[in-house]
Amino acid sequence: MTELISDIVDVGPYKIVLSGGREEYRKLVFAKKMIKGIRCYQLEKYTDKQVFHENIAEDKLGESLSDQLSRKFRQMNVFAQGEEWDVKISKNGKYNVSKRKTDVKTITITGNNRKKKYILEEGMDIPVFVELGIFTKDRKVSRPMYDKFKQINRFAEIVDDVMKDYRKSSINIVDFGCGKSYLTFVVYYYLHEIKGLDVHIVGLDLKEQVIKDCNALAKKFGYTGLTFKLGDINGYKSDMQVDMVMTLHACDVATDYALYNAIIWKADYILSVPCCQHELNRQICSDELNGLMRFGIVKERVAALMTDSIRGLMLETCGYKTDIMEFIDIAHSPKNLLIRAVRKNVSQEKRQRALGDAEALCEEFHTEQTLMKMLKTDGVI
């Protein structure tokens, strides 16, 4: 397969289509584009219901293609100047290539000027969006809230994606550190009003006035399944079986408490955007990698990335298929990593490897991490 990918890159394709996907995506399209004056490939990833976009540097095509082909597609079509390739791929990874000559034609590499399609579109009748200031009274996106509008739509896309196989008629969700609850209201609206589920969401926060305001807003719009409570994430007890845990920008170890609760409850879905990872920044040191500790901002970023890596590894150790992904473009929010975890039948081998990797990180940098410590102390791992 490596030789095939190298041959494909060499012909300089303007489009590649992978189809017959047997995993998360049913079809992928690589299309050469000119974006912000730079040639690249725009990758469109199709699930049963949505399309996700990603830009790939031109010199990273082979690497990206190799990664995507590992996800088991049945067919690949390659379109280049003067030729087309039809590649059939068997279940065991063997492939058969047929090529044909085509007319040489002028290919225009276009920009990306198509309007982004959102789950919650401008112009939709969503009264709570007007109340929250996301929409103006005539249902236009409020200019100061445009970044927030993109953020909540991205979150709705992620919720929709992780729940693509959800078959129950109701869902129970806890939103830790809900704050003003933009995402809480959006998730409730989307799952209840659009998807038709019987939704029960509890939003938890430490700010008393915020809780009063959010409860008043839920009552105003008749959101009977949405309640807000004053309380601390650490030690919070739920009186319902929790299916999903959300946490957006829970500060420092508050994210660890939220993830710990989700694991103990055996929640099916965990969506967490961490914030202000100070814990390891106060601890990390390394004899072998001291160069990473010399400059404050570098040390801070290393500590933040290490914190989220350990959290992801702990979730894998506890039986969750885990991804750490870009939540929204860093230009719109610097806190742009999201931990997405879905409870699956993760093999014991993968769990042990994840635990070993996390322990090796802590040993190398002489650290203790809260989520790992809690899980070990309580005998969960």
Side-chain angles (χ1 to χ4, degrees):
M1 187 66 75
T2 303
E3 185 179 347
L4 173 65
I5 291 170
S6 178
D7 289 344
I8 290 171
V9 172
D10 286 345
V11 300
Y14 60 86
K15 186 165 76 170
I16 302 171
V17 179
L18 303 180
S19 55
R22 284 169 271 181
E23 293 187 356
E24 182 178 9
Y25 300 109
R26 59 181 179 83
K27 185 174 79 170
L28 301 177
V29 179
F30 291 84
K32 191 172 280 190
K33 294 277 185 180
M34 183 72 75
I35 297 178
K36 295 181 180 179
I38 300 172
R39 283 178 180 267
C40 65
Y41 285 90
Q42 185 177 80
L43 173 58
E44 295 181 327
K45 300 183 282 190
Y46 292 78
T47 68
D48 287 334
K49 298 179 181 177
Q50 292 178 260
V51 183
F52 297 95
H53 295 84
E54 178 184 347
N55 293 332
I56 309 293
E58 203 169 13
D59 62 355
K60 297 292 184 182
L61 175 62
E63 182 181 326
S64 180
L65 193 56
S66 177
D67 177 55
Q68 297 301 338
L69 280 170
S70 70
R71 301 172 191 273
K72 300 179 181 176
F73 288 88
R74 294 186 178 91
Q75 183 166 335
M76 174 168 54
N77 295 95
V78 180
F79 302 87
Q81 275 282 40
E83 59 183 299
E84 293 180 6
W85 299 16
D86 184 11
V87 184
K88 298 289 193 298
I89 306 168
S90 67
K91 289 183 179 180
N92 59 10
K94 293 183 179 179
Y95 58 88
N96 179 269
V97 183
S98 62
K99 303 178 184 180
R100 68 185 184 91
K101 295 294 182 183
T102 59
D103 293 335
V104 176
K105 53 187 177 181
T106 301
I107 305 298
T108 303
I109 307 302
T110 62
N112 185 16
N113 297 318
R114 290 179 301 172
K115 185 180 177 182
K116 165 73 175 174
K117 290 287 290 180
Y118 292 110
I119 286 181
L120 303 169
E121 287 278 11
E122 184 177 62
M124 290 176 68
D125 185 14
I126 310 177
V128 73
F129 270 30
V130 177
E131 190 74 24
L132 290 169
I134 299 166
F135 280 179
T136 61
K137 290 182 180 179
D138 58 353
R139 303 177 192 168
K140 301 290 186 183
V141 178
S142 174
R143 184 171 296 178
M145 297 293 285
Y146 184 68
D147 287 350
K148 179 65 70 175
F149 173 71
K150 291 185 69 173
Q151 183 188 68
I152 61 180
N153 263 288
R154 177 64 176 138
F155 199 81
E157 287 176 354
I158 293 168
V159 169
D160 185 76
D161 187 48
V162 299
M163 290 183 62
K164 60 183 180 293
D165 297 322
Y166 194 75
R167 296 293 178 264
K168 292 190 285 187
S169 60
S170 63
I171 187 167
N172 299 326
I173 301 172
V174 173
D175 183 1
F176 283 123
C178 58
K180 293 183 179 179
S181 302
Y182 292 104
L183 290 183
T184 327
F185 280 101
V186 165
V187 170
Y188 184 89
Y189 178 87
Y190 175 64
L191 293 178
H192 183 63
E193 301 290 340
I194 295 179
K195 303 295 284 186
L197 294 176
D198 181 18
V199 180
H200 302 274
I201 301 182
V202 174
L204 191 76
D205 203 272
L206 290 169
K207 301 182 185 70
E208 186 173 0
Q209 190 57 51
V210 164
I211 295 301
K212 286 181 180 178
D213 292 344
C214 290
N215 274 321
L217 197 57
K219 184 177 180 180
K220 177 177 180 177
F221 289 101
Y223 292 171
T224 55
L226 180 54
T227 58
F228 297 89
K229 295 181 179 180
L230 187 68
D232 195 337
I233 298 172
N234 188 15
Y236 175 76
K237 306 294 182 185
S238 176
D239 56 2
M240 63 182 182
Q241 171 57 48
V242 179
D243 301 301
M244 178 186 292
V245 167
M246 300 168 15
T247 168
L248 183 73
H249 300 160
C251 191
D252 201 16
V253 296
T255 292
D256 297 300
Y257 298 142
L259 296 178
Y260 175 82
N261 284 338
I263 290 167
I264 295 301
W265 293 334
K266 297 183 176 173
D268 291 323
Y269 311 107
I270 302 171
L271 298 172
S272 174
V273 179
C275 176
C276 307
Q277 299 97 320
H278 299 308
E279 181 186 34
L280 296 195
N281 191 33
R282 293 188 290 264
Q283 302 178 41
I284 57 173
C285 59
S286 171
D287 297 331
E288 297 295 326
L289 300 170
N290 193 50
L292 289 173
M293 309 299 114
R294 183 170 299 179
F295 305 103
I297 191 168
V298 175
K299 180 184 176 186
E300 180 184 342
R301 291 179 182 177
V302 168
L305 292 171
M306 193 189 328
T307 300
D308 290 336
S309 293
I310 293 171
R311 287 166 173 163
L313 291 166
M314 287 299 94
L315 287 164
E316 287 187 354
T317 302
C318 294
Y320 285 83
K321 183 179 183 297
T322 306
D323 300 303
I324 299 181
M325 56 194 293
E326 189 176 75
F327 173 38
I328 195 163
D329 193 289
I330 197 167
H332 301 290
S333 173
K335 300 164 186 175
N336 70 328
L337 291 187
L338 180 139
I339 301 172
R340 176 179 65 179
V342 180
R343 198 155 71 94
K344 296 275 189 179
N345 292 322
V346 179
S347 70
Q348 199 61 37
E349 180 186 356
K350 287 183 179 178
R351 292 186 185 205
Q352 288 301 314
R353 186 164 63 245
L355 177 59
D357 288 345
E359 289 175 334
L361 269 176
C362 289
E363 183 178 352
E364 172 61 41
F365 289 92
H366 307 288
T367 61
E368 285 190 329
Q369 198 277 332
T370 292
L371 178 59
M372 180 192 288
K373 188 162 54 177
M374 293 173 72
L375 293 171
K376 286 189 171 184
T377 300
D378 293 348
V380 180
I381 60 174

